[in-house]
Amino acid sequence: VLLELPWRATGAGMAAAVARVADRGFGVLIAHPERTPLLRDNEDLVRTLVDGGAWCCLNAASLTDRAGRQTRNAARRLLAAGLIHVIASDAHDTAGRRPELRSSLDAAGFSLAQIAYFTDEGPRAMLDGLIPEPPPTVGARRRLRPPWGPR
């Protein structure tokens, strides 16, 4: 079940609701927690949800200068805390919100192993109903590298 929280969500009962969905045999994937104020500003709540069986999917654009500073910082904090399992493009079409995944991860300085985990291994484990391997370490650094820079 893809869970995208309302912009003005409150935390009341959220962990219990996610647990009830999981108890019914469904996996829960939380969409872009770095963009939702409640989760962006409350790493402990994100950890509670993940510890309760939820997965978290980061929006790749949140790692680039297309996102605001709060969103970029939250994305890096959640990655550094090991709370992100999947990174996706959040594409809606081929013009306004294109499926730009690899260029965003390259610009953010991700290694090939990190890219493989967040775009293939993590999503595959989720779809197969497996407990994910711990995500690779991603530092909380804030400076973005241009995609044409040295590796």
Side-chain angles (χ1 to χ4, degrees), residues 110-147:
F110 277 53
S111 70
L112 292 177
Q114 291 167 329
I115 291 170
Y117 176 88
F118 291 112
T119 65
D120 182 46
E121 297 163 20
R124 185 184 323 265
M126 180 187 64
L127 291 172
D128 290 344
L130 303 174
I131 296 172
E133 293 292 321
T137 301
V138 177
R141 72 179 173 80
R142 291 182 170 85
R143 183 176 167 102
L144 300 174
R145 182 178 69 219

Side-chain angles (χ1 to χ4, degrees), residues 7-8 21 24 28 38 44 46 56 76 83 89 95 98 100 107-108 129-130 135 141 143 149:
W7 188 251
R8 296 183 191 268
V21 171
R24 292 181 177 163
V28 176
L38 173 67
D44 290 337
V46 177
C56 288
R76 285 293 183 170
L83 296 172
S89 70
R98 296 180 304 233
E100 294 179 8
L130 303 174
R141 72 179 173 80
R143 183 176 167 102

Side-chain angles (χ1 to χ4, degrees), residues 68-127:
R69 185 173 6 144
Q70 277 187 313
T71 298
R72 286 193 315 267
N73 290 344
R76 285 293 183 170
R77 276 195 323 273
L78 293 171
L79 279 162
L83 296 172
I84 301 298
H85 308 95
V86 177
I87 299 177
S89 70
D90 199 25
H92 286 214
D93 53 48
T94 58
R97 287 169 104 177
R98 296 180 304 233
E100 294 179 8
L101 184 57
R102 180 64 188 262
S103 62
S104 296
L105 297 178
D106 282 341
F110 277 53
S111 70
L112 292 177
Q114 291 167 329
I115 291 170
Y117 176 88
F118 291 112
T119 65
D120 182 46
E121 297 163 20
R124 185 184 323 265
M126 180 187 64
L127 291 172

Side-chain angles (χ1 to χ4, degrees), residues 34-57:
E34 79 284 3
R35 293 178 55 202
T36 305
L38 173 67
L39 300 177
R40 177 186 68 211
D41 301 332
N42 192 340
E43 186 178 312
D44 290 337
L45 177 56
V46 177
R47 184 172 308 286
T48 297
L49 296 171
V50 168
D51 289 348
W55 294 61
C56 288
C57 180

